[in-house]
């Protein structure tokens, strides 16, 4: 595929956004492009997941993950998080390595249901990592950085998340609990360019304002409230859970917990050197990620990848610079090739 072909693939995915669990059409496009390049492809992994293996010899494998689903919005779905860009880059990287056939093996995971943090668990449970277990695993995520540039946070990444629900509340009790959860948050999403600049500065500050944080949200449903808490570091969850239980008692149910995504310091720094990436010293508070489940099975890192100043994930005005696709393919294919040679 040429650079223009990858841009058209991204646009085709963008024109037909599919929310978590419904990525059938997107997965079919990906599988066809990978089979055409000669990779061994398995579909229907953990839902609509696609696993593609490039086998150019014995030895350890390098893993690479991209996500397929769009963001759920009222009345449908929209690619407001850049997964269409991630997918196009992932296909481009796989095809580039398939053309070159560098020594070693690579395995590509195209994951469904990232937005609901269900897809990684489902793919792994369905054996995605079993036939060719990767020695290392990597991913990238769109960010409002200059087009084609990278950033990475060694030893940090994305916070985990507790999802909870409380039923049987009176209106007054629901309001009281909503206020309690609102008071838990120590950070708020940036709303102005000045606040975004301050967030960027905080992320680059060792032991700075984001060394520890809580970000929580809740919404009411008749006589119930449901919400989530993201915290860093993971040790904060015990105290937060105790506080919620003290307020809600036996009516409180924790529906799920997603682990934090922690980049291996060694592998993140290797990527930073190769990609000339900006080093961050804290986790980004406002997005969750289930890539951490892949990282529990193999060390690696997720890199923030610049797609221009309008590349703020989940912003209704999210518009990526499509020139980033070719730059991402070139950079990540080169990095994976270098890591394969180093194993």
């Amino acid at each position: 595929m040429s650079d223009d072909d990858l841009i058209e693939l991204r646009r085709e995915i963008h024109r037909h956004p599919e929310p978590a669990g419904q990525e059938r059409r997107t997965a079919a496009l990906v599988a066809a492009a990978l089979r055409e390049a000669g990779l061994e492809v398995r579909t229907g992994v953990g839902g609509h997941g696609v696993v593609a293996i490039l086998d150019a010899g014995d030895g350890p494998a390098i893993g690479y993950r991209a996500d397929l689903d769009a963001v759920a919005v009222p009345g449908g779905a929209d690619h407001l998080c850049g997964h269409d860009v991630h997918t196009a880059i992932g296909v481009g990287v796989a095809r580039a390595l398939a053309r070159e056939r560098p020594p070693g093996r690579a395995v590509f995971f195209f994951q469904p249901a990232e937005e609901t943090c269900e897809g990684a668990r489902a793919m792994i449970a369905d054996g995605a990592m079993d036939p060719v277990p990767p020695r290392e695993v990597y991913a990238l995520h769109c960010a409002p950085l200059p087009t084609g540039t990278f950033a990475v946070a060694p030893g940090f990444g994305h916070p985990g998340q507790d999802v909870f629900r409380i039923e049987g509340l009176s209106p007054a009790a629901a309001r009281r609990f909503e206020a309690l959860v609102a008071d838990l948050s120590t950070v708020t999403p940036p709303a102005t360019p000045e606040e975004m600049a301050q967030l960027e500065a905080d992320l680059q500050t060792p032991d700075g304002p984001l060394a520890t944080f809580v970000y929580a949200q809740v919404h009411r449903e008749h006589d119930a409230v449901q919400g989530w808490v993201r915290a860093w570091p993971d040790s904060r969850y015990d105290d937060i859970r105790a506080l919620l239980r003290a307020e809600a008692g036996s009516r409180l149910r924790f529906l799920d917990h997603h682990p934090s995504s922690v980049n291996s310091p060694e592998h993140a720094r290797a990527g930073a050197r190769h990609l000339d990436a900006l080093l961050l010293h804290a986790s980004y508070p406002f997005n969750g990620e289930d890539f951490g489940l892949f990282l529990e099975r193999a060390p690696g890192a997720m890199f923030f990848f610049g797609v221009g100043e309008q590349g703020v994930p989940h912003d209704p005005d999210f518009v990526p610079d499509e020139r980033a696709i070719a730059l991402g393919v070139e950079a990540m294919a080169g990095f994976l090739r270098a890591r394969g040679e180093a194993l």
Side-chain angles (χ1 to χ4, degrees):
M1 278 182 162
S2 67
D3 295 345
D4 288 342
D5 290 334
L6 290 174
I7 288 174
E8 181 52 37
L9 174 63
R10 179 259 163 182
R11 292 178 180 176
E12 181 67 12
I13 294 170
H14 192 85
R15 284 191 290 265
H16 301 277
E18 296 173 306
Q22 301 179 38
E23 309 91 347
R24 182 177 291 102
R25 189 178 190 278
T26 304
L29 288 172
V30 168
L34 297 173
R35 287 194 179 104
E36 183 182 83
L39 281 80
E40 176 188 335
V41 177
R42 177 185 167 200
T43 59
V45 184
H48 295 299
V50 178
V51 177
I53 298 169
L54 177 60
D55 195 342
D58 296 329
I62 299 292
Y64 187 82
R65 177 271 215 170
D67 32 20
L68 301 171
D69 54 330
V71 177
V73 297
D78 198 354
H79 274 290
L80 300 177
C81 200
H83 294 188
D84 49 350
V85 175
H86 304 170
T87 296
I89 291 174
V91 168
V93 171
R95 290 179 65 97
L97 294 181
R99 283 195 308 272
E100 299 165 12
R101 290 281 170 173
R105 297 186 294 172
V107 56
F108 295 86
F109 307 102
F110 290 85
Q111 180 199 309
E114 187 282 326
E115 291 294 341
T116 57
C117 287
E118 297 172 316
R121 181 179 289 126
M123 286 193 78
I124 292 168
D126 202 10
M129 302 182 80
D130 296 341
V132 180
R135 178 74 63 85
E136 304 171 1
V137 63
Y138 298 98
L140 59 72
H141 200 294
C142 289
L145 300 169
T147 298
T149 63
F150 288 86
V152 67
F156 298 91
H158 288 85
Q161 179 171 284
D162 268 351
V163 183
F164 62 86
R165 183 176 179 84
I166 306 168
E167 298 180 335
L169 294 174
S170 68
R175 287 192 296 271
R176 187 169 63 250
F177 196 83
E178 285 178 306
L180 171 68
V181 172
D183 287 342
L184 286 174
S185 291
T186 64
V187 292
T188 56
T192 66
E194 293 76 18
E195 291 177 356
M196 176 60 76
Q198 184 61 56
L199 173 62
E200 292 170 355
D202 292 345
L203 287 168
Q204 296 175 56
T205 304
D207 300 317
L210 296 179
T212 178
F213 61 77
V214 177
Y215 181 44
Q217 288 194 350
V218 67
H219 64 273
R220 196 186 313 182
E221 301 173 358
H222 304 296
D223 65 343
V225 295
Q226 184 160 324
W228 48 257
V229 176
R230 294 178 186 144
W232 192 276
D234 282 351
S235 57
R236 297 207 63 175
Y237 284 109
D238 289 341
D239 289 342
I240 295 169
R241 291 166 188 159
L243 178 65
L244 297 179
R245 288 192 182 99
E247 177 66 25
S250 61
R251 292 172 297 184
L252 173 68
R253 290 186 297 129
F254 285 100
L255 305 181
D256 203 356
H257 174 73
H258 311 308
S260 57
S261 293
V262 183
N263 297 322
S264 156
E266 173 191 350
H267 298 82
R269 290 185 183 277
R273 290 190 295 270
H274 186 95
L275 301 166
D276 192 24
L278 174 70
L279 287 179
L280 306 178
H281 301 282
S283 292
Y284 185 75
F286 306 114
N287 290 95
E289 253 295 344
D290 62 356
F291 182 60
L293 292 169
F294 285 96
L295 292 174
E296 288 184 346
R297 300 285 294 269
M302 172 174 279
F303 303 97
F304 292 112
F305 179 56
V307 293
E309 62 182 14
Q310 287 187 269
V312 180
H314 287 226
D315 189 295
D317 296 322
F318 177 86
V319 179
D321 182 349
E322 291 182 321
R323 294 175 300 172
I325 294 174
L327 297 173
V329 169
E330 181 181 8
M332 292 309 297
F335 176 59
L336 295 188
R337 187 187 312 112
R339 293 306 299 171
E341 293 171 353
L343 290 180

